[in-house]
Amino acid sequence: MNKKIEIRELGLKDFKETWDYQENLFKGILDTKIKNRREDANLDTNNYFLFVEHPHVYTLGKSGDISNLLLNEEQLQQKGATFYKINRGGDITYHGPGQVVGYPILDLDNFFTDIHKYLRLLEEMVILTLDEYGIKGVRSDGETGVWLDVGTPFARKICAMGVRASRWVTMHGFAFNVNADLGYFDNIIPCGINDKAVTSLHVELGVESVNIAEVKEKLLKHFKVLFEAEMV
């Protein structure tokens, strides 16, 4: 059982390139698991945590509705944005500069085999990080992610999540709005939910920008504790 997780900083990277990169790591873990099962090899499986920032892009999950994208191809080009239909759960979301995107690619056999628990711990990592900034993040029943002021007319989402898992290996992850340009969310019905707004940490704190490196440090600190992991 390998609880070491390798942190990889990818910087600003195209969504499709990052998706392919994830798929390669994901496949590598699956191949090791298959070898272990077939040959009783008893090899450790690797775990990764990727941090990345994407140029403007909209992604639609496998259960999503394309009508939640409010732009045509020409309008996407005018916005300098791209669009991909992908193999995670969830509906449509936006990624762009100023957003902390995290892709944990884990063999959950090294931790626990429970996708529900996995998602709840990812949410808890963000909730604990927000708490360090004096902001109360919460869950919304039936809606994965982290929200503010749920149950009021001012409910708004600050972190979206969507994952894929096969044989207990995960990919995709979370998108935490830290210094995000919220105008890009006006071009979609985020996550297919049309009665709640989105927000960003810098907006909630009333500052021009938040130190992204500091946010990542806090996220990893809480992730390490929640998953009882060793970050390398």
Side-chain angles (χ1 to χ4, degrees):
M1 189 175 286
N2 178 26
K3 286 184 171 282
K4 289 183 179 176
I5 301 176
E6 184 182 334
I7 302 157
R8 294 190 178 180
E9 278 276 1
L10 304 185
L12 183 67
K13 194 174 180 72
D14 174 77
F15 181 84
K16 182 62 167 62
E17 284 181 38
T18 311
W19 185 10
D20 291 343
Y21 185 71
Q22 282 193 79
E23 289 277 12
N24 286 334
L25 296 177
F26 180 82
K27 183 178 183 299
I29 299 171
L30 284 178
D31 287 348
T32 302
K33 295 190 80 163
I34 290 166
K35 186 179 178 71
N36 283 343
R37 193 177 71 246
R38 287 180 180 167
E39 302 175 17
D40 201 20
N42 203 29
L43 299 170
D44 278 347
T45 48
N46 294 329
N47 305 290
Y48 307 92
F49 192 120
L50 312 180
F51 273 129
V52 67
E53 199 172 4
H54 293 306
H56 303 296
V57 61
Y58 297 101
T59 70
L60 183 71
K62 57 190 176 186
S63 58
D65 184 345
I66 188 63
S67 67
N68 290 325
L69 174 65
L70 307 179
L71 301 175
N72 60 32
E73 199 163 320
E74 185 181 335
Q75 290 168 320
L76 278 169
Q77 288 177 356
Q78 288 170 357
K79 293 280 183 185
T82 53
F83 169 77
Y84 294 100
K85 189 165 174 59
I86 63 173
N87 59 354
R88 62 161 169 79
D91 206 286
I92 199 162
T93 196
Y94 158 78
H95 299 310
Q99 199 178 56
V100 172
V101 177
Y103 297 132
I105 305 174
L106 311 179
D107 178 7
L108 289 182
D109 272 320
N110 290 322
F111 302 94
F112 49 78
T113 48
D114 185 333
I115 292 296
H116 179 79
K117 179 178 179 179
Y118 173 66
L119 285 166
R120 300 297 79 78
L121 290 187
L122 288 184
E123 290 167 347
E124 189 65 17
M125 168 192 68
V126 176
I127 288 167
L128 291 171
T129 298
L130 286 170
D131 189 59
E132 291 200 57
Y133 290 95
I135 293 171
K136 184 172 176 53
V138 296
R139 295 176 180 85
S140 179
D141 287 347
E143 297 169 334
T144 303
V146 179
W147 303 75
L148 310 182
D149 291 333
V150 167
T152 78
F154 309 106
R156 55 210 183 276
K157 193 173 202 173
I158 197 165
C159 182
M161 292 181 184
V163 303
R164 176 193 173 200
S166 176
R167 293 181 177 152
W168 299 115
V169 181
T170 67
M171 65 180 288
H172 300 299
F174 66 91
F176 182 14
N177 298 330
V178 176
N179 298 316
D181 180 348
L182 299 178
Y184 277 82
F185 286 95
D186 294 340
N187 305 313
I188 59 172
I189 301 173
C191 303
I193 302 164
N194 59 14
D195 62 343
K196 292 191 179 78
V198 290
T199 190
S200 181
L201 184 57
H202 77 294
V203 172
E204 297 299 324
L205 293 176
V207 297
E208 192 171 323
S209 69
V210 178
N211 185 319
I212 279 191
E214 182 184 87
V215 172
K216 291 177 180 176
E217 194 178 294
K218 293 179 189 301
L219 288 167
L220 287 177
K221 175 182 69 177
H222 295 303
F223 187 92
K224 177 181 177 180
V225 172
L226 291 165
F227 283 80
E228 300 175 353
E230 181 185 347
M231 313 302 277
V232 295

